[in-house]
């Protein structure tokens, strides 16, 4: 276990995290998986705390995994969405979150369509804020769970080459994966249509540790892992791809293509998948696929983050770190 201590109040993006901080989360995830394997999946660290899940954009994996994570750590959990809340009557984001805080929320987990929304809230509220995905900007808990899944499969990310394939332009997952993998020593190869790459990155401004290879076959040659991204069909009105059929022919992850990677190199996808578009069903459900493991690991990574945020608060108040002892 890393001897770095947790000092962050919020989890907004991993763009300024150190390798040691990332490793602390990944190391803390391991005992959380042990809690999840107990006959009674309960531990007490968040007893007496209230976690509010505020999702104003659709989600299955992130929302449910945060709910399971918080309940496993004995928190009280309240879940609201824009639909059915006073947001429908025009209440602002800030008033909504301040109301949730006044109702006793200690940690607000939020997903929002606008990039930067969690920062806006974090600067104005006392509750700790965890970003569960904001616009195209960041999805830090996905980056951490992908790093954890890859570390389990590969032993370490140091010196590994990870391909991220598809619609990078619209992908907060790709950005957070890069921010998490590169400090751990990985190189990232991005492969997708130039129209679906950030323009500045095409002009030589890609982040450190990242290279672009528009030919997917060449990108996959000898790679240690691939992450297929969801083609964000809801954002393709601008004619960024010639047709779905053409996209699948050139950018679809097929069995033939994944065979170009190292023996046994794993395949990941953050979900939800467009099976038959960016990934063939035989690959999505084949022997290299870690897609279901990502979902399971997502619960443990989110437990680790909730635990660290709560522990950090306790430590700064001079209390002993909450333990993971079993709840009778
Ligand atoms: N990977 C991901 O964020 O999935 P959801 O949109 O289902 O939460």
């Amino acid at each position: 276990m890393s001897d770095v201590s947790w000092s962050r109040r919020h989890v907004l993006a991993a763009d300024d995290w150190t390798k040691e901080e990332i490793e602390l989360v990944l190391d803390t995830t391991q005992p959380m998986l042990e809690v999840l394997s107990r006959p009674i999946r309960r531990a007490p660290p968040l007893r007496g705390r209230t976690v509010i899940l505020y999702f104003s954009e659709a989600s299955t994996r992130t929302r449910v995994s945060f709910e399971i994570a918080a309940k496993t750590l004995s928190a009280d959990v309240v879940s609201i969405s824009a639909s059915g809340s006073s947001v429908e009557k025009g209440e602002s984001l800030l008033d909504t979150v301040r109301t949730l805080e006044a109702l006793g929320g200690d940690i607000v987990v939020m997903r929002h369509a606008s990039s930067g929304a969690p920062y806006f809230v974090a600067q104005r509220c006392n509750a700790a804020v965890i970003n569960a995905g904001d616009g195209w900007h960041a999805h830090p808990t996905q980056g951490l769970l992908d790093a954890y899944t890859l570390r389990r499969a590969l032993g370490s990310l140091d010196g590994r080459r990870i391909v991220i394939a598809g619609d990078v332009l619209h992908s907060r997952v790709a950005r957070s994966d890069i921010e998490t993998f590169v400090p751990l020593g990985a190189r990232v190869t991005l492969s997708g249509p130039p129209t679906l790459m950030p323009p500045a990155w095409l002009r030589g401004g890609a982040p450190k540790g990242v290279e672009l290879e528009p030919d997917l076959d060449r990108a996959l040659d000898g790679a240690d892992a691939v992450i297929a991204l969801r083609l964000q069909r809801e954002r393709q009105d601008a004619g960024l791809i010639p047709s779905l059929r053409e996209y699948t022919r050139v950018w679809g992850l097929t069995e033939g293509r994944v065979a170009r990677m190292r023996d046994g190199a794993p395949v990941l996808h953050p979900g939800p998948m467009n099976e038959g578009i960016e990934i063939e069903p035989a690959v999505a459900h084949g022997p290299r696929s870690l897609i279901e493991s990502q979902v399971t690991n997502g619960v443990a990574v989110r437990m680790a983050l909730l635990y660290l945020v709560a522990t950090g608060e306790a430590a700064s108040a001079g209390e002993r770190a909450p333990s993971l002892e079993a709840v009778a």
Side-chain angles (χ1 to χ4, degrees):
M1 174 77 85
S2 167
D3 54 10
V4 170
S5 62
W6 184 257
S7 59
R8 288 184 185 269
R9 175 150 182 72
H10 308 290
V11 177
L12 301 173
D15 56 347
D16 61 347
W17 286 28
T18 63
K19 176 185 181 196
E20 289 72 24
E21 286 177 294
I22 295 166
E23 285 180 337
L24 175 61
V25 175
L26 305 191
D27 292 347
T28 308
T29 298
Q30 195 55 42
M32 300 303 167
L33 278 174
E34 187 273 318
V35 173
L36 289 169
S37 70
R38 291 177 187 164
I40 298 174
R41 298 181 197 178
R42 278 287 182 277
L46 270 71
R47 189 179 276 160
R49 307 288 184 106
T50 299
V51 175
I52 294 189
L53 309 179
Y54 174 48
F55 279 62
S56 69
E57 231 193 14
S59 169
T60 299
R61 289 150 203 78
T62 313
R63 181 176 180 144
V64 174
S65 62
F66 262 115
E67 182 163 349
I68 294 172
K71 286 180 173 168
T72 303
L73 295 177
S74 304
D76 295 316
V77 181
V78 180
S79 187
I80 73 155
S81 51
S83 161
S85 75
S86 289
V87 172
E88 285 193 333
K89 300 179 201 162
E91 187 163 41
S92 71
L93 170 63
L94 187 56
D95 283 345
T96 302
V97 176
R98 281 187 174 146
T99 302
L100 298 175
E101 196 177 34
L103 289 168
D106 298 297
I107 300 175
V108 176
V109 178
M110 65 177 291
R111 171 168 289 190
H112 203 279
S114 299
S115 297
Y119 291 78
F120 177 83
V121 170
Q123 284 160 4
R124 289 162 179 82
C125 293
N126 293 320
V129 176
I130 300 181
N131 182 2
D134 62 326
W136 302 2
H137 171 243
H139 194 350
T141 66
Q142 182 74 44
L144 289 160
L145 80 87
D146 288 347
Y148 182 79
T149 303
L150 286 170
R151 194 174 82 163
R152 276 198 102 172
L154 303 174
S156 162
L157 271 73
D158 195 23
R160 301 294 191 166
R161 189 170 68 81
I162 315 297
V163 177
I164 300 180
D167 183 357
V168 174
L169 177 66
H170 301 112
S171 178
R172 56 195 177 206
V173 173
R175 287 170 182 76
S176 288
D177 279 348
I178 291 166
E179 288 167 6
T180 313
F181 300 170
V182 171
L184 297 176
R187 289 178 295 136
V188 175
T189 305
L190 301 177
S191 190
T195 48
L196 293 180
M197 288 289 157
W201 297 7
L202 286 172
R203 293 194 298 268
K208 182 170 161 277
V210 174
E211 61 180 11
L212 275 59
E213 172 49 75
D215 183 311
L216 182 56
D217 289 339
R218 277 213 294 265
L220 290 171
D221 278 337
D224 292 294
V226 62
I227 298 178
L229 298 173
R230 181 172 77 87
L231 177 67
Q232 301 202 18
R233 289 153 72 179
E234 67 276 21
R235 305 196 215 261
Q236 304 301 330
D237 293 344
L240 295 172
I241 56 169
S243 68
L244 279 182
R245 198 168 167 179
E246 184 69 1
Y247 182 86
T248 300
R249 189 181 69 76
V250 180
W251 306 106
L253 212 51
T254 60
E255 283 187 297
R257 286 195 164 124
V258 299
R260 302 180 80 104
M261 299 194 294
R262 284 183 189 231
D263 280 352
V267 174
L268 286 74
H269 189 303
M273 290 185 279
N274 298 300
E275 282 191 38
I277 297 180
E278 72 265 6
I279 188 166
E280 231 175 33
V283 175
H285 305 288
R288 292 173 184 256
S289 174
L290 294 181
I291 296 168
E292 286 182 16
S293 299
Q294 286 174 271
V295 177
T296 309
N297 294 338
V299 178
V301 165
R302 287 162 180 138
M303 287 170 68
L305 286 164
L306 290 168
Y307 175 82
L308 288 168
V309 167
T311 304
E313 283 180 353
S316 63
E319 297 167 20
R320 196 170 59 85
S323 90
L324 291 172
E325 72 202 29
V327 173

